[in-house]
């Protein structure tokens, strides 16, 4: 193989054509495995594990914190159709943009369909293992529904960093999960703290 010095002027096929490939990049999510998860049913992961959504690699087993740095945060609307049985079926996800769509109704009728929306706090992150080894592979973590409080904690801590003129990636965060009881049963819920 040629050395790095001899190939420095060679075109980088994806990087040099990033506009062409911009819709083709896949960024995996970090999923929290729940009791009814397919990965748990298939015995590929246990409930409470944090896993890579594309490979099902266990990034942190249940009970082990997952440490990461935040590259960027953003908010989205998730929209669901409510079917005749009252069940939610996912329809779409869209980025929230101030002055454009931040005040959408939580319950609405869209194209003749009854819909509900929920706000999602999301973050592009580098997990500690990759950051330490110089691997620039981002993940997305979503905070919604029962885990939305964890997202608010994350955003509040980042705001504290920003007030000190520090970018989000100067802080290390730790995510854990614990099982909590709700009206409809139990679920694992994300928790985040500044590490």
């Amino acid at each position: 193989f040629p050395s790095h010095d001899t190939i420095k002027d060679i075109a980088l096929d994806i990087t040099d054509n990033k506009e062409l490939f911009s819709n083709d990049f896949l960024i995996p999510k970090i999923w929290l495995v729940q009791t009814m998860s397919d990965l748990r049913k298939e015995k590929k992961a246990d409930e409470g594990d944090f896993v890579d959504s594309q490979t099902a690699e266990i990034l942190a087993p249940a009970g082990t914190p997952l440490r990461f740095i935040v590259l960027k945060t953003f908010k989205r609307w998730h929209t669901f159709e409510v079917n005749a049985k009252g069940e939610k079926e996912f329809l779409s996800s869209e980025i929230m943009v101030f002055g454009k769509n931040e005040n959408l109704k939580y319950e609405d009728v869209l194209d003749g369909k009854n819909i509900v929306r929920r706000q999602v706090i999301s973050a592009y992150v580098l997990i500690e293992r990759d950051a330490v080894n110089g691997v620039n592979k981002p993940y997305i973590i979503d905070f919604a529904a029962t885990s939305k409080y964890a997202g608010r904690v994350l955003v509040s801590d980042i705001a504290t960093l920003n007030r000190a003129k520090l970018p989000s990636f100067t802080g290390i965060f730790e995510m854990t999960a614990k099982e909590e009881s709700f009206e409809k049963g139990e679920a694992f819920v994300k928790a985040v703290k500044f590490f």
Side-chain angles (χ1 to χ4, degrees), residues 170-184:
T170 60
I172 299 172
F173 293 89
E174 185 175 271
M175 184 167 61
T176 55
K178 72 174 189 173
E179 192 170 23
E180 294 187 11
S181 295
F182 301 94
E183 285 181 23
K184 295 182 180 181

Side-chain angles (χ1 to χ4, degrees), residues 21-32:
F21 289 100
S22 65
N23 292 332
D24 298 314
F25 292 113
L26 297 175
I27 300 176
K29 290 187 177 186
I30 297 175
W31 283 345
L32 172 56

